[in-house]
Amino acid sequence: GGASITGYTVTCKAGSASVQASGSASPITVSGLSNGTLYACGVAASNSAGTGASSSTSSVTPAVPSLGGTNSSPTYGAPANFAALLKTAYTWPTLTLASGFTQRGRYLIADAATHSASTSYLGVGSTYSATTGFAVEGTVIPASPTVQTVLSKLVQAVGDGTGTFRLDAHLHPNQSLDADPTDRLKLKFRNNFGKASVTYGYVTFSYDATTHLLQARKRYLYTYDATTYAASYTEDSAFAGVNQYVKLTSGAFALVTTSAQATPLYIFDSPLDFGIPTAMNPAAVPYAPNATASFIFKNPVAATEGASGIIAAGVNATYKAQVAVAGSDAGTKSAADTLLASIKTTVEASGEKLRYAPAVYTAFRDAALATTLGSDAISDGTPGQNLVPYVYFTNEKDTAGKYHPFMIVVSYGNPASPHGLLDVPHPPGDGNGAGYGDQKVTRFTNLDNYIAVFPMKDYGLVSAVTDNTLPRTLLSDDPRAASLSADVYNYASTADNGMLINGSVMFPVYNNTLVPSQLVGELSANGCHVGRGGGGPHCHADGYPNAKSPGVAVYSDADYVGQNHPPLIGFGY
């Protein structure tokens, strides 16, 4: 009718579904479309006379922005770390009473048969001491509980075959319930699986499902050899709490002499299942009763971190600003971001490109440096310490003048959360014995030391795995190598080839006998175990980098330098 146009309406249709957006001028953004779906989009104009007919439609299929693409500005993030997970809200469920403990089961112990706002639960305290471990607390569930609330109140029952059980804290599994002979037989969580600074012990308990009383039976003293780190347990023949009962008074648990003085305690099954899933032990390999191999000791935190540590002392001056402080730090982040921008410019100036956008490397760096140890599950670890103290970038030339940028990750090789190694059904033996039954098995973990080198430049993709030159592979280690073909599972380094966001290293799905590790019961609930000789736990992918992989990981192998190599970052499926 000659009146001025006042606005436009865009309609995008896919079948019966329709999405609209309006605006007064171009461009008009239509939000809420599904990636991979074909839409027909048309535009209609409006003025004082009404809305006109739609234009002819244009077909469009929204797609996920390509990594580092020039036509999009994607944002990148990493999984929340364990410390953040502990703070998330948890809806307290309906609990199920258990009649007693079963081997390696996890439980809640309360002073009432039903949950209420006044029910007190036995739990591990939140304050850690290097000498005394954690306190035992009897507290109610707050109105707004978190994941930490339930994890801190779970205990695992470990039987001795006689109907009595050791009780370990789930969140801090190096800590077991002990009765302190010097403090009125008060119950305390104490370190019984690591490099404890004071020799402690643990108490075994029985439970009467009729009276609901928890009764102490024996106490065992823990000790380890400071040279070999071989641990041992001996019965405390002087233990005064034999056959005494557990009493809860003012939030503290202690042993008392008569059942009349004791507090009835009720056992609830864990509302969360932390047992080994069927997928991690599909053949139902039985739990190995073998004795535990000694844990080992490598470079401590003090030798790795700080101005006099091996990293800061050994890094080239060009890159030293990136490692001035361990862990998350605004100054080192600024230095890393500046160098990363320079790397991109330098590489592109020579007609090459990075494998991924700088934001990918920044997201990995920031998330990795924010990971701290949230569980006392490591022989020489301290809750709260860094798990990835340093991530920095380098950009040096080869003899031909070509730049080869790398991301360097310094890691202690451990997960932030409870690793579950004590539950592994059939962990690797230590190699000292005629057969597996004669060997000690690796259930401890310690702080390992990794300086992992990850190529950042895009060298291209392989068309066959053998395009890479690997001097030693799982396949080459196998006596049957001549009769086997190389594939994404067996043509893999015998060493670690990837790293999770928390610094835990990844190995191929196959073990050194070319059998998937989960088929022989070697893995914990989170897919980790420790091989012969101890060290930090490592996770096993369900495929090599060319195939699918769990979690979020960065893949590396020093042999890939100058070679075509698989994608650097593997995002889980």
Side-chain angles (χ1 to χ4, degrees):
S4 299
I5 294 174
T6 56
Y8 300 90
T9 300
V10 182
T11 302
C12 293
K13 294 182 177 180
S16 61
S18 178
V19 181
Q20 287 189 330
S22 299
S24 58
S26 179
I28 297 173
T29 301
V30 183
S31 300
L33 305 181
S34 298
N35 288 330
T37 300
L38 177 65
Y39 290 88
C41 298
V43 184
S46 301
N47 63 9
S48 58
T51 300
S54 173
S55 68
S56 60
T57 60
S58 295
S59 297
V60 61
T61 301
V64 178
S66 60
L67 296 181
T70 58
N71 298 322
S72 59
S73 299
T75 57
Y76 302 93
N81 60 35
F82 185 63
L85 171 66
L86 289 176
K87 296 176 182 178
T88 58
Y90 180 81
T91 301
W92 203 250
T94 299
L95 300 177
T96 303
L97 276 172
S99 59
F101 298 120
T102 59
Q103 178 67 294
R104 311 209 73 79
R106 288 173 172 82
Y107 303 92
L108 295 161
I109 299 177
D111 65 351
T114 57
H115 171 70
S116 71
S118 60
T119 304
S120 290
Y121 294 85
L122 183 150
V124 63
S126 58
T127 304
Y128 173 78
S129 167
T131 55
T132 59
F134 293 89
V136 176
E137 299 175 347
T139 55
V140 299
I141 303 300
S144 300
T146 63
V147 171
Q148 183 164 4
T149 304
V150 62
L151 295 190
S152 65
K153 296 185 182 304
L154 285 181
V155 296
Q156 184 177 29
V158 182
D160 61 3
T162 68
T164 62
F165 296 84
R166 183 185 78 226
L167 298 177
D168 301 339
H170 167 77
L171 184 58
H172 304 291
N174 279 352
Q175 305 281 329
S176 305
L177 276 184
D178 189 19
D180 189 348
T182 67
D183 189 11
R184 305 179 303 282
L185 294 180
K186 185 176 180 179
L187 297 189
K188 300 178 179 180
F189 277 112
R190 287 174 151 175
N191 189 331
N192 280 278
F193 297 97
K195 195 168 177 285
S197 57
V198 179
T199 298
Y200 289 140
Y202 67 82
V203 172
T204 58
F205 297 88
S206 62
Y207 181 74
D208 190 315
T210 301
T211 63
H212 304 291
L213 298 182
L214 199 59
Q215 189 173 16
R217 293 302 188 182
K218 294 181 180 181
R219 181 173 187 252
Y220 293 87
L221 294 171
Y222 169 72
T223 187
Y224 70 94
D225 188 304
T227 301
T228 65
Y229 300 107
S232 61
Y233 302 89
T234 55
E235 186 176 348
D236 181 3
S237 58
F239 179 46
V242 172
N243 295 329
Q244 292 195 11
Y245 299 87
V246 177
K247 178 179 178 62
L248 171 62
T249 306
S250 301
F253 293 85
L255 297 183
V256 292
T257 55
T258 67
S259 59
Q261 299 171 291
T263 301
L265 297 171
Y266 299 84
I267 302 173
F268 296 94
D269 290 322
S270 170
L272 300 173
D273 184 4
F274 291 104
I276 303 295
T278 302
M280 292 300 181
N281 188 17
V285 178
Y287 189 88
N290 306 41
T292 302
S294 304
F295 64 88
I296 61 177
F297 186 64
K298 295 190 176 182
N299 285 338
V301 172
T304 304
E305 301 179 20
S308 59
I310 58 176
I311 302 303
V315 170
N316 185 300
T318 304
Y319 312 115
K320 198 174 287 289
Q322 299 180 79
V323 297
V325 178
S328 298
D329 177 74
T332 61
K333 176 175 172 56
S334 176
D337 289 346
T338 299
L339 184 62
L340 192 54
S342 173
I343 288 173
K344 183 177 186 295
T345 300
T346 302
V347 170
E348 291 179 351
S350 63
E352 300 176 302
K353 63 179 181 178
L354 297 179
R355 168 70 68 180
Y356 296 113
V360 174
Y361 302 104
T362 298
F364 182 89
R365 179 185 185 275
D366 293 349
L369 291 178
T371 59
T372 55
L373 181 59
S375 172
D376 186 18
I378 299 167
S379 297
D380 51 357
T382 301
Q385 72 163 86
N386 294 311
L387 285 176
V388 181
Y390 302 105
V391 179
Y392 61 99
F393 305 106
T394 65
N395 193 26
E396 296 292 327
K397 293 180 180 179
D398 62 18
T399 55
K402 281 188 171 292
Y403 282 99
H404 295 278
F406 287 89
M407 179 171 69
I408 316 297
V409 182
V410 180
S411 166
Y412 295 116
N414 280 274
S417 56
H419 50 59
L421 292 175
L422 293 176
D423 292 333
V424 174
H426 201 261
D430 64 0
N432 297 317
Y436 184 84
D438 302 318
Q439 299 179 22
K440 294 182 178 180
V441 296
T442 52
R443 298 193 185 276
F444 291 130
T445 179
N446 62 277
L447 295 178
D448 216 333
N449 289 105
Y450 294 92
I451 301 178
V453 181
F454 301 98
M456 298 168 63
K457 196 167 68 173
D458 188 347
Y459 293 98
L461 295 175
V462 299
S463 57
V465 291
T466 50
D467 289 348
N468 287 313
T469 301
L470 298 178
R472 183 182 176 191
T473 66
L474 294 174
L475 180 61
S476 65
D477 261 16
D478 194 299
R480 303 166 297 167
S483 62
L484 299 175
S485 299
D487 58 32
V488 296
Y489 299 105
N490 61 35
Y491 194 79
S493 172
T494 55
D496 49 276
N497 58 31
M499 185 170 286
L500 301 181
I501 204 77
N502 60 13
S504 299
V505 294
M506 282 180 61
F507 275 62
V509 59
Y510 280 3
N511 63 17
N512 59 340
T513 61
L514 293 187
V515 175
S517 300
Q518 65 267 32
L519 293 185
V520 286
E522 291 184 346
L523 302 183
S524 69
N526 66 358
C528 292
H529 75 181
V530 172
R532 293 184 179 183
H538 53 263
C539 296
H540 280 253
D542 63 344
Y544 198 48
N546 308 68
K548 298 174 181 178
S549 58
V552 176
V554 178
Y555 294 106
S556 171
D557 195 299
D559 297 303
Y560 289 144
V561 177
Q563 301 283 336
N564 293 335
H565 57 78
L568 178 66
I569 306 285
F571 294 92
Y573 64 94

